[in-house]
Amino acid sequence: MLAHLRNISKLALPRRLVTQSASYSSSSSFLIDQPEYSFLKELGLERDNPGVYSGQWQGRGPSVTSYDPGTGRPIATVRQGNVQELEQTIGLAVEAYKQWRQVPAPVRGEIVRQIGDELRKYKEPLGKLVSLEVGKIYSEGQGEVQEFIDICDYAVGLSRIYSGQLINSERADHSILEAWRPLGVVGVISAYNFPNAVFGWNAAIALTTGNSVLWKGAPSTPLVSVATTKIVADVLRRNHLPPVVTLCQGGTDVGQTLVADKRVNLVSFTGSCQTGRDVGVEVQRRFGKVILELGGNNALIIDESANVKMALDAALFGCIGTSGQRCTTTRRIIVHEKLHDQFVKALVGKYKQLIPKIGHQLEAQTLVGPVHTQQNVENYKAAIAEAKSLGGAVAFGGNVIQRDGFYVEPTVITGLPHDASVVHRETFAPIVYILKAKNVDQAIEWNNEVEQGLSSAIFTENIGQAFKWIGAKGSDCGIVNINTTTNGAEIGGAFGGEKATGGGRESGSDAWKQYCKRATITVNHSGELACAQGVVFNVE
């Protein structure tokens, strides 16, 4: 259906989900059946799991297998939903919203508080599942669940303070009020790299402001979606509430139907720029609302005055955290020409220290885990080959690691023009391009020349350069950091970017307004009708 949505590739099933290695074809090879993975059953998961929740669990669509990217072994399976189940789930979400919107906001906040407490109870096993299914290291998996907990805490406070305003009227004995009311059903389509936190950012705020939430998680991380929904559903059930949070895992047809359905008042989509463009057009076609959280080609600028030691540490985590698969990963480092050579040498030295720390994501000593799929490996290889063909030099890495799973070497490439095609293209892998700039003005120009505008950072001890960076002539990104990494944002600020990143904002600050409709209300308490702007319209 909908030929113009054929490019919604992020909503389709990754190839590795529908094929299974012959060496792991036996049902006894599922990790969920192994004693060392007992934490999966602590989360209520089984070898085969329904992937649709709308008050009851079901799933009549195709079954998909989730794999551990650190070994290539199957973890468990999930029965996805079909279009009919999605449509039924949307209908139930609409009815749940009609009840939920009548609940006082502080009471809604109390439910979100309970969700946060339940997540605290399951943080350890849920974080391990995030690590296992995504491929991110143990501390990052735990940190992701902590983000969901933190946004729940934030939302509890928000439930008592979010408000409109009283505006002065030009007419005597008139008052103008502004009120923020819930939209209805909020659809959340999340990506594999943050399968728990992105849903949490959206769900906690959407629920607090009175909406119901329908989630379609990434096809390659369905177990995180199921386990997280089980935790939330338990809280709703204990409080005798309707299913204000629903889930429908599914393929392309399910994603297209969700995006096109007028009953879904807001679609929050996280994924590629191309897919996000298609989603945005389709939602606008029906005059729905959309939050787009798309790609990032993020730059770290090293000024001549920078604290180089701190900048090196920031670059290390910025480039390699989550094996280069964060939307905010540092993909370009723009170094002042006086520091360039020494910075490259020092960064390569740090990269060398990481080689013994490449391993399975749940091993205690691991700092660099696998990339998510074989497709990530292929993209990594293609980007390095293109960089070499354009004259780039591999200062470190550049190789696929031959072992079970999907492992690549963190890679540093130098010698490319700032506007090389491969530099301007986001590759979801641990590759960074180091560029040499004459000054901060040139570095800012290069920072801003890519199509995305998500995150950026500068290291400088010069207060003038710092304020230039955050001013009107500075970075054009949504995240504009000073003396810290491009990645690792906190929940208190609004998260999102400009240009092809989509313009959406999630999480803190006043991002809650995107989950509401605004009403401007004029109240006449004068006893007489008076027109604005002094207009007189009276037949007497």
Side-chain angles (χ1 to χ4, degrees), residues 13-179:
L13 291 175
R15 186 176 178 183
R16 76 182 182 94
L17 280 177
V18 292
T19 60
Q20 182 170 312
S21 170
S23 61
Y24 299 120
S25 60
S26 169
S27 61
S28 62
S29 67
F30 282 95
L31 296 184
I32 196 168
D33 295 326
Q34 307 303 316
E36 60 267 39
Y37 295 97
S38 60
F39 64 89
L40 297 170
K41 293 185 177 179
E42 291 176 34
L43 295 166
L45 296 174
E46 300 172 346
R47 185 184 297 177
D48 183 55
N49 303 273
V52 179
Y53 177 76
S54 55
Q56 301 293 328
W57 285 96
Q58 59 190 43
R60 297 192 297 272
S63 183
V64 296
T65 301
S66 175
Y67 290 89
D68 167 17
T71 63
R73 296 180 61 187
I75 305 170
T77 63
V78 172
R79 300 190 312 277
Q80 297 186 116
N82 56 34
V83 169
Q84 291 72 32
E85 288 175 297
L86 173 70
E87 291 175 341
Q88 178 189 37
T89 299
I90 294 173
L92 291 169
V94 170
E95 294 306 311
Y97 159 69
K98 292 177 180 177
Q99 298 179 52
W100 183 242
R101 66 185 176 183
Q102 300 179 63
V103 176
V107 178
R108 298 195 297 258
E110 164 60 18
I111 300 302
V112 174
R113 184 195 66 78
Q114 292 181 33
I115 292 171
D117 282 351
E118 199 73 2
L119 287 164
R120 285 182 173 89
K121 187 188 305 182
Y122 288 99
K123 178 183 174 181
E124 171 74 13
L126 185 58
K128 288 177 75 172
L129 172 60
V130 170
S131 292
L132 179 64
E133 200 169 31
V134 176
K136 60 179 61 178
I137 63 174
Y138 174 83
S139 65
E140 288 189 283
Q142 297 297 308
E144 179 166 347
V145 179
Q146 186 62 49
E147 281 194 67
F148 197 162
I149 294 168
D150 290 345
I151 198 65
C152 286
D153 289 348
Y154 180 93
V156 175
L158 180 68
S159 71
R160 292 185 178 271
I161 63 171
Y162 84 90
S163 60
Q165 57 182 324
L166 177 64
I167 303 169
N168 293 324
S169 172
E170 67 188 53
R171 288 170 282 181
D173 297 318
H174 284 63
S175 298
I176 302 173
L177 310 177
E178 182 179 83

Side-chain angles (χ1 to χ4, degrees), residues 46 76 208 317:
E46 300 172 346
T208 296
F317 177 59

Side-chain angles (χ1 to χ4, degrees), residues 312 335 339-349 395 412 414 434:
L312 285 166
V335 188
L339 299 178
H340 176 272
D341 292 351
Q342 72 176 79
F343 188 89
V344 171
K345 181 178 179 181
L347 186 62
V348 167
V412 177
T414 63
I434 302 185

Side-chain angles (χ1 to χ4, degrees), residues 395-525:
F396 185 85
N399 301 301
V400 176
I401 299 173
Q402 300 303 317
R403 56 177 289 178
D404 289 340
F406 310 111
Y407 293 88
V408 299
E409 292 176 345
T411 299
V412 177
I413 296 178
T414 63
L416 285 170
H418 64 91
D419 56 354
S421 57
V422 71
V423 173
H424 274 209
R425 185 174 61 252
E426 179 188 32
T427 300
F428 240 48
I431 302 171
V432 65
Y433 306 102
I434 302 185
L435 311 173
K436 184 190 297 186
K438 294 179 180 179
N439 50 49
V440 170
D441 288 341
Q442 187 178 64
I444 291 173
E445 180 182 344
W446 293 357
N447 174 80
N448 294 348
E449 70 184 6
V450 298
E451 67 170 353
Q452 302 94 339
L454 178 51
S455 187
S456 58
I458 189 172
F459 272 80
T460 183
E461 298 298 308
N462 184 315
I463 192 169
Q465 302 290 24
F467 275 89
K468 178 187 294 183
W469 173 244
I470 64 174
K473 297 190 295 183
S475 171
D476 64 0
C477 297
I479 299 170
V480 185
N481 291 337
I482 300 173
N483 294 336
T484 189
T485 58
T486 61
N487 58 357
E490 300 178 24
I491 61 94
F495 182 90
E498 302 300 326
K499 303 188 298 186
T501 300
R505 292 297 187 275
E506 297 169 330
S507 199
S509 185
D510 66 349
W512 61 267
K513 292 179 178 179
Q514 294 190 100
Y515 303 87
C516 298
K517 51 180 178 278
R518 184 199 312 244
T520 301
I521 307 152
T522 301
V523 180
N524 178 2
H525 44 91

Side-chain angles (χ1 to χ4, degrees), residues 245-445:
V245 172
T246 53
L247 172 72
C248 190
Q249 291 295 116
T252 304
D253 55 347
V254 169
Q256 290 176 342
T257 302
L258 188 160
V259 168
D261 197 303
K262 292 182 178 180
R263 295 173 294 173
V264 181
N265 304 84
L266 166 69
V267 175
S268 176
F269 173 81
T270 302
S272 71
C273 295
Q274 179 56 52
T275 306
R277 183 179 291 109
D278 295 334
V279 169
V281 168
E282 181 60 25
V283 175
Q284 181 58 44
R285 192 185 305 277
R286 60 179 177 82
F287 297 108
K289 289 193 172 186
V290 66
I291 296 174
L292 298 177
E293 185 54 58
L294 311 177
N297 194 340
N298 316 293
L300 178 67
I301 294 176
I302 313 299
D303 178 30
E304 183 180 8
S305 68
N307 180 328
V308 175
K309 181 183 182 302
M310 189 163 60
L312 285 166
D313 290 338
L316 196 68
F317 177 59
C319 299
I320 302 176
T322 322
S323 296
Q325 296 167 110
R326 292 186 179 218
C327 301
T328 52
T329 291
T330 302
R331 309 211 177 274
R332 298 173 294 149
I333 303 178
I334 307 171
V335 188
H336 191 283
E337 59 185 6
K338 292 182 179 179
L339 299 178
H340 176 272
D341 292 351
Q342 72 176 79
F343 188 89
V344 171
K345 181 178 179 181
L347 186 62
V348 167
K350 283 187 170 290
Y351 269 55
K352 289 178 179 177
Q353 295 176 45
L354 285 172
I355 292 300
K357 298 182 181 295
I358 297 174
H360 191 275
Q361 61 270 29
L362 288 179
E363 293 175 357
Q365 73 277 12
T366 297
L367 286 180
V368 184
V371 291
H372 190 55
T373 68
Q374 182 61 35
Q375 186 60 57
N376 293 81
V377 175
E378 298 304 320
N379 293 344
Y380 167 89
K381 291 162 59 179
I384 291 172
E386 182 179 351
K388 289 179 178 178
S389 72
L390 295 172
V394 177
F396 185 85
N399 301 301
V400 176
I401 299 173
Q402 300 303 317
R403 56 177 289 178
D404 289 340
F406 310 111
Y407 293 88
V408 299
E409 292 176 345
T411 299
V412 177
I413 296 178
T414 63
L416 285 170
H418 64 91
D419 56 354
S421 57
V422 71
V423 173
H424 274 209
R425 185 174 61 252
E426 179 188 32
T427 300
F428 240 48
I431 302 171
V432 65
Y433 306 102
I434 302 185
L435 311 173
K436 184 190 297 186
K438 294 179 180 179
N439 50 49
V440 170
D441 288 341
Q442 187 178 64
I444 291 173
E445 180 182 344

Side-chain angles (χ1 to χ4, degrees), residues 186-245:
V186 172
V188 179
I189 302 176
S190 57
Y192 75 80
N193 59 337
F194 278 86
N196 177 267
V198 169
F199 168 70
W201 294 348
N202 284 277
I205 304 302
L207 289 171
T208 296
T209 50
N211 304 280
S212 63
V213 180
L214 167 61
W215 184 17
K216 181 189 180 297
S220 59
T221 53
L223 296 176
V224 172
S225 299
V226 171
T228 302
T229 302
K230 283 180 177 288
I231 291 169
V232 175
D234 282 348
V235 173
L236 300 179
R237 187 183 65 252
R238 288 200 302 266
N239 286 275
H240 309 289
L241 290 168
V244 292
V245 172

